[in-house]
């Protein structure tokens, strides 16, 4: 469990300077932001290195920590630039960096230990940390200072992860939910050549799709947004999250407006302060904060996975973009007006904007602004309101999408602050004292403020120097900053935080002084760069061809065709032992390896028992938790693509861990893969040569949501076992949907692809392990496919002929080749 002495933090997003001011003025303890490279929100305004000398001191002057996102994969040729980038961040005084790439995390960890960098290492949610074993893995490998867990965990699962470490745990509490596991989504790049792992997500999950069930299109009415979750709102769960061990409450939204940042930061500031004082939010405060967040941005709110799995609640499928707040249900309408069933559920005033939800396509939604409110009847402006009143029906929902008065009030929170922010160097040095039964006093420049209430023994949260600094340092918008605190206070005493806040406000009201100087901390000299982790490149001799099989008949056909290694990736893990025994009886020359699930969550260790019972020759590892488990069992391992191995440093990391081979990340294009091979990594890699690319991998179950009346695996009736499902995208392309033993869904690209054109060059660079991955092939097709690829590798069939015969896409990973 977290041993940090810092108070829980509100971690706010910032895509530009206005969002920074908004976050600071509304109570953020820390802000995360990206620069113009190496971050997962390249569409945000973002900052540049030139902004850091002003930005970081501005944040620190207001007691706010600065975290920079580097939550992307780093390609081989970029490591030198990434290192220089980190030098600049460290020199600017950035408090921490949020990292996805394992090789880069290893570099930061080593340089922190050497004294080169003071930067904290924060493990990004993009690293897909989902279980205690994965938490232990990052602790062992990187010794990070904060760990961001996957969004898909429940409170119980978060608690299990928090108990596995002493490091602070960071969890998303609000904002957009990715339907796919972060770091595991390849949809944007597979369909649109925009990599989510490089900050260019095209939000394919927010698009409409159609469902084909057993060869026939299923009519779902207005439910077309099959992969678009409602937004996360954990406002009511803050006390439970604190109890589960959450330290950092992260708000999603670096692409959102400063009004959104203000509303969400303020709401979670209120909620956390109330929880720390062991009181709940007042109904009035909660309603106001919830309404402001709905208006700032909402696709509808849910608790995500925090309360456990409820697939229909998470993704209802009716819309994929902003809705705002629900005003009510229409019971009557006429030309230019609607009447609601009862009083509106939210504030309504002339000038507010609304959308009428008539079940039509989101791009054609009808709405406008109202000019008069008469009881339950709302009159719309004739001009500027694009509404076909003939299509409005009783029962349609009315959503409020704009509130000019609220926007003005939110903007005032940081516009007033901005007027004070130009002078941020008026530093306050405080003397704080108190003892049991007496007041707490705060003195500064001849002014003394008393608590008016005696200090009492603390039952669970005593006043510590860290608590005092955190509460008294909340000086945003005042023009003051907190300097040194001389504290003479007996241990084990408490005082309500509300009193500390009142004392701080009273002190500010009485102070009027000149600014103090800001000191700079000297930085250590930089040690020399480490040597390259790989020996010189050597050419490959021959080749090794393995086959991943998702059906028993595929595995038997591959083994009978003489394949020396098959990977079993069966949906029903209970069939593994029988199939392994059959393969060994019929084809003793074939090694039988078993693939783990892509995701491992707490309390899912039982899945590993099925793998152990089959006594495989090795395991294809797809997540860090599985890597920890099977290393302890001494079973040979190959790392799959989902470990996101994209550079020589991450290959070396996994080799040291015990991987025999690593599968290169599917984000690498041909040139980047060549860079990786030329580093000498070729003999340590196994390339996926043929596959249907796995696009979405998601905790959300389409089978349960749209083919059952259930809410989870407990009551859905397992339609995934009875139906074959394909998904049609906007271009009418069909893609295969599969579920695994953990009830997680994977959407596979409907068209297979090959890296055949590059096999000769890759072999010359030292790569000689290749894998074919099957999906829908029967035994005959499996044997035919293997025969063609053998001819390709033997030199008797050209890549062009192979692609033509099998109608394949010409791709390495998810990237089209020139």
């Amino acid at each position: 469990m977290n041993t940090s002495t810092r108070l829980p933090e509100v971690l706010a997003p910032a895509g530009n300077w206005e969002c920074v001011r908004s976050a600071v003025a509304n109570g953020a303890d820390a802000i995360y932001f990206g620069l113009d490279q190496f971050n997962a929100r390249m569409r945000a305004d973002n900052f540049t290195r030139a902004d850091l000398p002003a930005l970081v001191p501005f944040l620190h002057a207001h007691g706010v920590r600065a975290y920079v996102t580097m939550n992307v994969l780093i390609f081989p040729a970029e490591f030198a630039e990434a290192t220089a980038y980190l030098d600049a961040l460290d020199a600017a005084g950035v408090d921490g960096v949020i990292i996805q790439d394992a090789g880069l995390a290893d570099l930061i960890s080593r340089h922190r230990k050497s004294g080169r960098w003071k930067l904290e290492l924060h493990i990004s949610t993009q690293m897909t940390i989902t279980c205690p074993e994965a938490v232990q893995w990052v602790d062992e490998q990187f010794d990070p200072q904060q760990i961001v867990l996957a969004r898909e965990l429940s409170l119980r699962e978060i608690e299990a992860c928090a108990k596995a470490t002493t490091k602070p745990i960071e969890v998303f509490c609000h904002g957009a939910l990715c339907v796919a596991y972060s770091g595991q989504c390849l949809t944007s790049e597979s369909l649109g050549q925009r990599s989510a792992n490089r900050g260019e997500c095209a939000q394919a999950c927010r698009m409409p799709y159609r469902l084909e069930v057993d060869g026939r299109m299923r009519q779902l009415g207005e439910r077309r947004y099959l992969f678009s979750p409602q937004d996360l709102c954990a406002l009511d769960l803050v006390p439970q999250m604190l109890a589960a061990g959450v330290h950092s409450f992260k708000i999603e939204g670096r692409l959102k407006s400063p009004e959104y940042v203000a509303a969400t930061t303020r709401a979670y500031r209120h909620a956390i302060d109330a929880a720390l004082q062991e009181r709940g939010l007042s109904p009035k405060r909660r309603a106001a904060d919830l309404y402001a967040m709905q208006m700032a941005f909402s696709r509808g709110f849910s608790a995500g996975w925090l309360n456990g799995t409820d697939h229909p609640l998470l993704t209802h499928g009716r819309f994929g973009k902003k809705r705002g707040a629900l005003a009510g249900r229409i019971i009557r309408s006429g030309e230019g007006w609607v009447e609601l069933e009862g009083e509106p559920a939210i504030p309504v005033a002339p000038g507010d904007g609304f959308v009428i939800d008539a079940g039509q396509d989101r791009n054609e939604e009808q709405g406008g602004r109202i000019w008069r409110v008469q009881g339950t009847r709302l009159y719309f402006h004739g001009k500027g309101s694009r509404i076909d009143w003939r299509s409005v029906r009783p029962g349609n929902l009315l959503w409020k999408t704009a509130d000019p008065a609220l926007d003005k009030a939110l903007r005032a929170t940081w516009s007033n602050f901005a007027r004070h922010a130009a002078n941020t160097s008026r530093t306050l040095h405080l003397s704080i004292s108190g003892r049991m039964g007496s007041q707490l006093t705060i003195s500064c420049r001849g002014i003394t403020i008393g608590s008016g209430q005696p200090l009492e023994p603390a039952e669970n949260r005593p006043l510590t120097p860290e608590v005092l600094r955190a509460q008294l340092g909340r000086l945003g918008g005042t023009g003051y900053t907190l300097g040194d605190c001389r504290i003479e206070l007996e241990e084990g005493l408490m005082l309500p935080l509300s009193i500390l806040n009142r004392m701080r406000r009273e002190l500010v009201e009485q102070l009027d002084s000149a600014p103090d100087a800001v000191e700079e901390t000297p930085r250590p000299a930089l040690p020399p760069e480490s040597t390259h982790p790989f020996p010189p490149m050597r050419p490959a001799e021959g080749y090794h061809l393995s086959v991943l099989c998702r059906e028993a008949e595929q595995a038997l056909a591959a083994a009978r065709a003489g394949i020396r290694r098959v990977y079993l990736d069966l949906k029903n893990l209970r069939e593994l032992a029988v199939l392994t025994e059959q393969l060994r009886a019929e084809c003793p020359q074939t090694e039988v390896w078993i693939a783990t699930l892509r995701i491992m969550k707490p309390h899912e260790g039982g899945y590993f028992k099925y793998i152990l019972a089959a006594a495989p020759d090795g395991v294809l590892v797809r997540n860090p938790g599985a890597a920890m488990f099977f290393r302890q069992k001494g079973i040979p391992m190959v790392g799959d693509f989902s470990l996101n191995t994209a550079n020589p440093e991450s290959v070396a990391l996994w080799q040291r861990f015990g991987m025999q081979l690593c599968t290169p990340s599917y984000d690498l294009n041909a040139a980047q893969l060549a860079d990786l091979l030329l580093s000498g990594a070729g003999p340590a890699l196994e390339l996926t040569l043929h596959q249907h690319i796995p696009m979405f991998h998601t905790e959300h179950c389409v089978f349960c949501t749209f083919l059952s009346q259930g809410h989870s695996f407990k009551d859905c009736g397992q339609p995934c076992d009875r139906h074959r499902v394909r998904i049609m995208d906007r271009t009418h392309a069909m893609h295969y949907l599969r579920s695994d033993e953990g009830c997680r869904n994977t959407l596979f690209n409907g068209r297979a692809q090959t890296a055949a054109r590059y096999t000769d060059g890759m072999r010359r660079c030292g790569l000689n392990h290749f894998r074919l991955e099957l999906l829908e092939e029967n035994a005959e097709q499996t044997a035919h496919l293997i025969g063609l690829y053998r001819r390709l590798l033997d030199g008797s069939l050209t890549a062009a002929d192979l692609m033509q015969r099998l109608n394949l896409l010409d791709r390495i990973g998810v990237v089209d080749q020139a």
Side-chain angles (χ1 to χ4, degrees):
M1 191 65 76
N2 174 25
T3 59
S4 170
T5 56
R6 296 205 315 265
L7 282 172
E9 70 181 13
V10 176
L11 177 54
N16 55 46
W17 263 106
E18 201 169 13
C19 290
V20 167
R21 296 187 179 98
S22 172
V24 174
N26 284 280
D29 298 295
I31 289 176
Y32 68 102
F33 57 93
L35 302 190
D36 51 1
Q37 60 183 143
F38 300 132
N39 95 81
R41 290 293 181 271
M42 292 306 294
R43 289 185 295 125
D45 291 345
N46 289 313
F47 296 89
T48 67
R49 296 189 206 185
D51 290 309
L52 294 177
L55 177 58
V56 176
F58 174 85
L59 293 173
H60 288 172
H62 292 88
V64 177
R65 291 164 63 80
Y67 303 153
V68 171
T69 57
M70 290 187 72
N71 49 348
V72 295
L73 299 182
I74 307 298
F75 295 144
E78 296 175 330
F79 244 80
E81 185 179 3
T83 303
Y85 181 92
L86 286 161
D87 281 334
L89 298 183
D90 191 63
V94 168
D95 295 287
V97 282
I98 304 172
I99 300 297
Q100 173 187 13
D101 190 275
L104 192 63
D106 183 57
L107 178 76
I108 295 168
S109 177
R110 288 188 282 111
H111 284 341
R112 275 182 54 82
K113 292 174 183 176
S114 74
R116 173 171 177 169
W117 292 333
K118 292 182 179 179
L119 284 166
E120 289 185 357
L121 169 60
H122 294 195
I123 299 301
S124 171
T125 190
Q126 292 277 117
M127 211 178 275
T128 325
I129 304 303
T130 59
C131 62
E133 292 84 353
V135 170
Q136 291 164 2
W137 175 75
V138 296
D139 256 349
E140 174 187 301
Q141 298 298 313
F142 312 123
D143 189 28
Q145 285 63 62
Q146 195 146 297
I147 302 171
V148 191
L149 299 181
R151 293 174 173 90
E152 288 80 0
L153 300 183
S154 68
L155 287 166
R156 178 172 173 241
E157 291 162 345
I158 290 169
E159 183 176 16
C161 291
K163 287 180 177 178
T165 182
T166 60
K167 307 299 171 53
I169 293 294
E170 180 180 314
V171 171
F172 281 91
C173 64
H174 193 93
L177 286 171
C178 301
V179 74
Y181 274 91
S182 294
Q184 302 297 319
C185 184
L186 300 170
T187 313
S188 289
E189 194 162 7
S190 180
L191 297 181
Q193 300 297 288
R194 288 171 55 177
S195 171
N197 282 328
R198 292 286 293 180
E200 298 174 334
C201 174
Q203 294 196 318
C205 55
R206 303 299 179 189
M207 299 296 116
Y209 294 90
R210 296 186 65 191
L211 197 66
E212 180 196 83
V213 182
D214 300 326
R216 301 183 65 180
M217 299 307 298
R218 178 66 59 96
Q219 298 304 314
L220 297 174
E222 60 182 320
R223 297 193 300 167
R224 296 186 296 276
Y225 297 89
L226 310 184
F227 294 101
S228 181
Q230 298 191 85
D231 291 345
L232 170 65
C233 178
L235 191 67
D236 294 332
L237 295 176
V238 166
Q240 295 93 317
M241 293 174 74
L242 286 168
V246 176
H247 166 76
S248 182
F249 289 73
K250 188 171 195 171
I251 299 167
E252 179 275 339
R254 285 190 286 135
L255 291 170
K256 300 286 189 8
S257 69
E259 290 84 359
Y260 168 91
V261 174
T264 54
T265 302
R266 183 172 63 178
Y268 286 93
R269 175 81 280 147
H270 291 154
I272 291 173
D273 287 350
L276 291 176
Q277 295 174 41
E278 299 184 351
R279 60 175 175 81
L281 284 172
S282 69
K284 184 177 180 180
R285 176 77 272 158
R286 177 191 176 277
D289 286 343
L290 188 63
Y291 170 72
M293 291 193 297
Q294 287 175 321
M295 293 310 303
F297 194 94
S298 168
R299 299 180 181 91
F301 286 155
S302 82
W305 286 275
L306 290 171
N307 286 326
T309 300
D310 188 335
H311 296 298
L313 178 64
L314 181 81
T315 304
H316 50 62
R318 296 182 62 249
F319 49 81
K321 294 185 179 180
K322 176 182 176 180
R323 284 291 190 183
L326 180 63
R329 186 179 299 275
I330 296 171
I331 56 172
R332 280 181 290 276
S333 65
E335 189 71 26
W337 60 270
V338 298
E339 188 168 336
L340 301 182
E341 183 179 34
E343 291 295 322
I346 54 175
V348 174
D352 290 348
F354 289 86
V355 160
I356 298 171
D357 184 351
Q360 66 270 40
D361 188 274
R362 180 65 179 83
N363 294 325
E364 300 174 359
E365 282 183 343
Q366 303 182 90
R369 295 188 182 271
I370 58 173
W371 67 276
R372 182 157 63 97
V373 180
Q374 184 176 324
T376 59
R377 184 169 290 191
L378 279 60
Y379 292 86
F380 283 76
H381 277 287
K383 295 181 179 180
S385 296
R386 294 179 296 176
I387 301 173
D388 179 1
W389 292 102
R390 295 169 299 178
S391 67
V392 181
R393 298 284 184 273
N396 291 165
L397 299 178
L398 185 69
W399 297 85
K400 183 175 177 179
T401 57
D403 185 334
L406 174 63
D407 288 344
K408 182 178 179 180
L410 290 172
R411 285 193 292 270
T413 63
W414 77 84
S415 60
N416 292 336
F417 170 86
R419 284 196 290 272
H420 294 294
N423 183 5
T424 60
S425 60
R426 293 190 290 170
T427 306
L428 304 183
H429 302 288
L430 307 182
S431 295
I432 306 167
S433 62
R435 64 178 187 273
M436 175 69 178
S438 70
Q439 290 191 94
L440 180 78
T441 62
I442 302 174
S443 299
C444 179
R445 296 175 184 171
I447 298 171
T448 299
I449 305 294
S451 63
Q453 176 175 322
L455 290 157
E456 300 175 353
E459 294 183 4
N460 50 23
R461 288 194 175 94
L463 288 180
T464 64
E466 291 77 21
V467 171
L468 289 167
R469 285 193 61 86
Q471 292 302 120
L472 299 176
R474 289 178 178 163
L475 296 164
T478 68
Y480 292 100
T481 64
L482 185 63
D484 296 330
C485 293
R486 188 174 73 248
I487 300 173
E488 298 177 1
L489 181 67
E490 295 176 1
E491 294 184 358
L493 301 180
M494 67 81 62
L495 196 68
L497 298 183
S498 58
I499 293 180
L500 287 179
N501 293 336
R502 188 261 302 167
M503 295 173 72
R504 181 191 68 235
R505 289 193 295 269
E506 287 185 11
L507 179 63
V508 167
E509 289 172 1
Q510 297 185 38
L511 282 169
D512 184 12
S513 60
D516 293 329
V518 178
E519 299 180 358
E520 288 192 6
T521 304
R523 312 191 67 79
L526 302 183
E529 291 290 335
S530 60
T531 58
H532 200 282
F534 283 104
M537 181 189 68
R538 60 182 185 275
E541 297 180 2
Y543 67 86
H544 302 273
L545 185 63
S546 62
V547 180
L548 183 140
C549 306
R550 295 184 168 94
E551 305 289 347
E553 67 171 319
Q554 295 169 350
L556 290 166
R560 289 164 183 162
I563 292 297
R564 295 301 181 91
R565 176 180 293 180
V566 295
Y567 296 106
L568 301 183
D569 188 15
L570 307 185
K571 179 182 186 298
N572 188 346
L573 301 184
R574 295 160 186 81
E575 298 175 358
L576 288 171
V578 172
L579 180 57
T580 300
E581 184 178 355
Q582 183 179 359
L583 286 166
R584 284 176 174 156
E586 289 192 26
C587 308
Q589 80 284 357
T590 300
E591 292 181 3
V592 181
W593 288 52
I594 294 176
T596 71
L597 301 185
R598 284 270 292 278
I599 299 297
M600 175 187 176
K601 294 180 101 178
H603 320 298
E604 290 187 351
Y607 294 142
F608 293 153
K609 294 180 180 178
Y610 293 112
I611 295 177
L612 293 175
D617 295 295
V619 176
L620 181 64
V621 170
R622 288 173 166 165
N623 62 76
M628 286 291 285
F629 180 88
F630 288 106
R631 184 184 69 169
Q632 292 168 0
K633 297 297 180 182
I635 297 177
M637 297 182 293
V638 167
D640 206 359
F641 76 97
S642 49
L643 299 182
N644 282 321
T645 306
N647 48 64
E649 287 75 8
S650 54
V651 174
L653 173 81
W654 283 114
Q655 280 190 304
R656 293 194 301 270
F657 187 83
M659 295 292 172
Q660 290 186 1
L661 298 168
C662 293
T663 310
S665 165
Y666 292 164
D667 278 279
L668 296 173
N669 63 25
Q672 291 153 354
L673 181 59
D675 287 340
L676 182 58
L677 296 178
L678 290 171
S679 74
L685 301 178
E686 180 176 58
L687 181 84
T688 305
L689 184 56
H690 173 101
Q691 65 173 319
H692 290 264
I693 201 81
M695 299 188 299
F696 289 131
H697 185 70
T698 172
E699 192 73 19
H700 168 57
C701 184
V702 172
F703 294 92
C704 175
T705 305
F706 300 104
L707 297 181
S708 85
Q709 299 300 311
H711 295 264
S712 72
F713 73 94
K714 297 177 182 178
D715 60 0
C716 71
Q718 282 69 56
C720 54
D721 290 337
R722 302 190 305 275
H723 299 292
R724 306 287 283 185
V725 170
R726 294 196 301 170
I727 302 291
M728 178 188 287
D729 67 21
R730 292 183 301 163
T731 70
H732 300 284
M734 303 296 293
H735 309 291
Y736 299 103
L737 188 71
R738 290 285 191 100
S739 67
D740 65 18
E741 184 77 20
C743 293
R744 296 169 194 113
N745 288 188
T746 303
L747 185 66
F748 293 90
N749 194 305
R751 191 174 173 192
Q753 65 182 56
T754 184
R757 185 153 62 98
Y758 297 93
T759 53
D760 287 345
M762 289 186 286
R763 291 174 70 184
R764 287 195 301 271
C765 289
L767 179 66
N768 66 352
H769 287 85
F770 299 95
R771 185 195 313 158
L772 313 179
E773 294 201 351
L774 308 180
L775 185 64
E776 295 285 315
E777 292 84 355
N778 58 29
E780 182 179 352
Q781 291 166 333
T782 297
H784 179 63
L785 187 78
I786 291 170
L788 291 178
Y789 273 99
R790 276 185 168 147
R791 290 180 58 194
L792 172 77
L793 294 168
D794 289 338
S796 60
L797 182 68
T798 67
D801 286 341
L802 181 138
M803 287 187 284
Q804 183 177 17
R805 293 188 188 197
L806 296 176
N807 188 28
L808 302 175
L809 291 171
D810 178 21
R811 285 183 179 176
I812 291 179
V814 286
V815 185
D816 281 327
Q817 307 307 322

